[in-house]
Amino acid sequence: MNPQAILTQVKKTFSELDCTGGGVIIIKHGQTVLEEYFGEQGQQKGAKKVGPHTLFHLASVRKAYVGFAVAYAIYHNYIASIDDKLSDYLGNEEIFRDVSIRHLLTHTHGLHWQNEKIIKEYKAGYNWAYRDINVELLAKVIFKVTGKTIAEIVDEQVFQTLSFTETNWFSEKNEQHIEVIHNDSPFWYESDMCDGSKMNMYSSLRELAKWGQVHLAKGKINGNQIIPKEIIQLLTTIQSPNSKPQNLPTNGFFWFVQPQQREGITELSPILPQGSFQLLGYTSVALLVIPEENIVAVRGFNSFGSPDRFDYIKDIHDFGSTVYQSI
């Protein structure tokens, strides 16, 4: 076991990003084998040191919670099937007719915002593209069928159940929130909406790692079934349609899942075993679970986007490979 190799790799990423602070947690067989924080929470003089209670901007890693809300709705029969058409829930618009809940969850929906209008980029199920419109549409579906927002479901079923106090969607920041270094990125925005549909979720790395551990244990904590295992199975098994080209990424409920046959390029290092699953955010925050080795790996930074010279796919592959080979 060589946790130092992981810390070295994470600090190399830290040095290459436009960020001020970071951290990493590695859990093996339920035991923390590495937990390290470095840097400051912001650029201003006298900024707090990054630590266990620093709240990192999750960006797309929040989709682990969005996916949970959808799985909850399916498990409790608010949504009849993952293959239900979007038009069944959001009106009989022509553009929604061939798009299913499955397509939204696996980035194969073909929908995209253009000039404040929804357009179709490709036939649903036959390509793959990463567009945040799927979260917005699923939020509408969830509210329509349950009468609750994504955030309300997650709060009731996850935060309260697991006693999470450092994970949520935030409209206002406090001294625990890390500053996001966004360099006026056109993709950066802040929102005061906390319904779960927007990119304003923060978490401590400890709670993010615990959330990964819940997935690894199929919903159990200390031997008790806290979250139905069927929900975890929905989230973390491959749900991508068979019509999708094999060289494009495979997803569960948003999670990138390692298939048996590895083709093309995806977030997951090609050396990771089948069934490993991961989410990576635009802030370079990552949550990786390797069930075959009983490993949960979390890293956090506060750079929104990355420099032109930075190869984020190579970097996240290096992170996964180093974790796997070192632990």
Side-chain angles (χ1 to χ4, degrees), residues 33-260:
V33 297
L34 174 65
E35 182 174 5
E36 194 90 20
Y37 305 94
F38 39 88
E40 290 78 41
Q41 290 188 174
Q43 301 176 94
Q44 68 276 19
K45 187 176 181 180
K48 288 182 64 173
K49 296 285 187 183
V50 174
H53 302 293
T54 297
L55 304 185
F56 287 83
H57 189 285
L58 296 188
S60 283
V61 178
R62 79 190 191 283
K63 290 171 183 168
Y65 291 103
V66 177
F68 172 86
V70 180
Y72 167 88
I74 291 172
Y75 177 75
H76 290 284
N77 297 314
Y78 291 107
I79 295 173
S81 167
I82 190 176
D83 290 311
D84 284 357
K85 294 293 184 281
L86 190 54
S87 56
D88 294 343
Y89 298 96
L90 297 185
N92 201 24
E93 291 189 44
E94 183 66 31
I95 200 166
F96 292 157
R97 284 190 182 167
D98 71 334
V99 179
S100 67
I101 303 296
R102 183 188 301 275
H103 294 139
L104 294 178
L105 291 165
T106 59
H107 305 290
T108 58
H109 49 82
L111 303 176
H112 186 40
W113 283 112
Q114 187 176 88
N115 299 323
E116 300 184 2
K117 182 181 178 182
I118 300 176
I119 65 165
K120 183 63 85 56
E121 292 186 291
Y122 55 82
K123 184 179 179 181
Y126 288 85
N127 207 331
W128 187 100
Y130 204 86
R131 312 293 191 205
D132 260 354
I133 189 174
N134 50 2
V135 173
E136 298 173 40
L137 293 172
L138 285 168
K140 291 180 179 180
V141 172
I142 292 298
F143 187 74
K144 183 165 185 178
V145 299
T146 68
K148 297 177 181 178
T149 65
I150 289 170
E152 287 171 335
I153 291 170
V154 171
D155 180 63
E156 292 171 4
Q157 303 297 320
V158 179
F159 299 160
Q160 293 184 37
T161 302
L162 302 181
S163 300
F164 278 13
T165 60
E166 296 179 326
T167 308
N168 219 321
W169 288 268
F170 291 87
S171 59
E172 297 180 0
K173 313 297 185 300
N174 61 43
E175 63 178 8
Q176 298 305 130
H177 289 82
I178 203 163
E179 177 189 354
V180 179
I181 312 300
H182 54 81
N183 296 320
D184 297 321
S185 166
F187 302 108
W188 170 255
Y189 68 87
E190 295 188 89
S191 175
D192 59 3
M193 289 184 63
C194 294
D195 62 357
S197 66
K198 301 300 180 185
M199 189 182 63
N200 54 340
M201 193 179 205
Y202 289 75
S203 175
S204 66
L205 297 188
R206 281 184 176 177
E207 287 193 350
L208 189 58
K210 186 175 180 180
W211 185 226
Q213 188 67 30
V214 169
H215 286 70
L216 178 63
K218 298 190 185 304
K220 286 187 175 182
I221 294 181
N222 299 325
N224 298 315
Q225 195 74 48
I226 303 300
I227 291 172
K229 65 180 180 180
E230 293 86 354
I231 287 181
I232 303 297
Q233 288 168 342
L234 280 173
L235 294 169
T236 60
T237 54
I238 292 173
Q239 306 288 356
S240 298
N242 293 330
S243 54
K244 174 191 68 67
Q246 292 300 304
N247 65 324
L248 296 177
T250 50
N251 296 90
F253 279 33
F254 292 118
W255 289 94
F256 289 80
V257 183
Q258 190 81 297
Q260 183 174 10

Side-chain angles (χ1 to χ4, degrees), residues 243-279:
S243 54
K244 174 191 68 67
Q246 292 300 304
N247 65 324
L248 296 177
T250 50
N251 296 90
F253 279 33
F254 292 118
W255 289 94
F256 289 80
V257 183
Q258 190 81 297
Q260 183 174 10
Q261 299 295 324
R262 295 149 181 75
E263 297 182 47
I265 296 175
T266 185
E267 285 186 356
L268 290 151
S269 163
I271 75 167
L272 291 176
Q274 180 183 358
S276 301
F277 51 96
Q278 176 177 276
L279 281 169

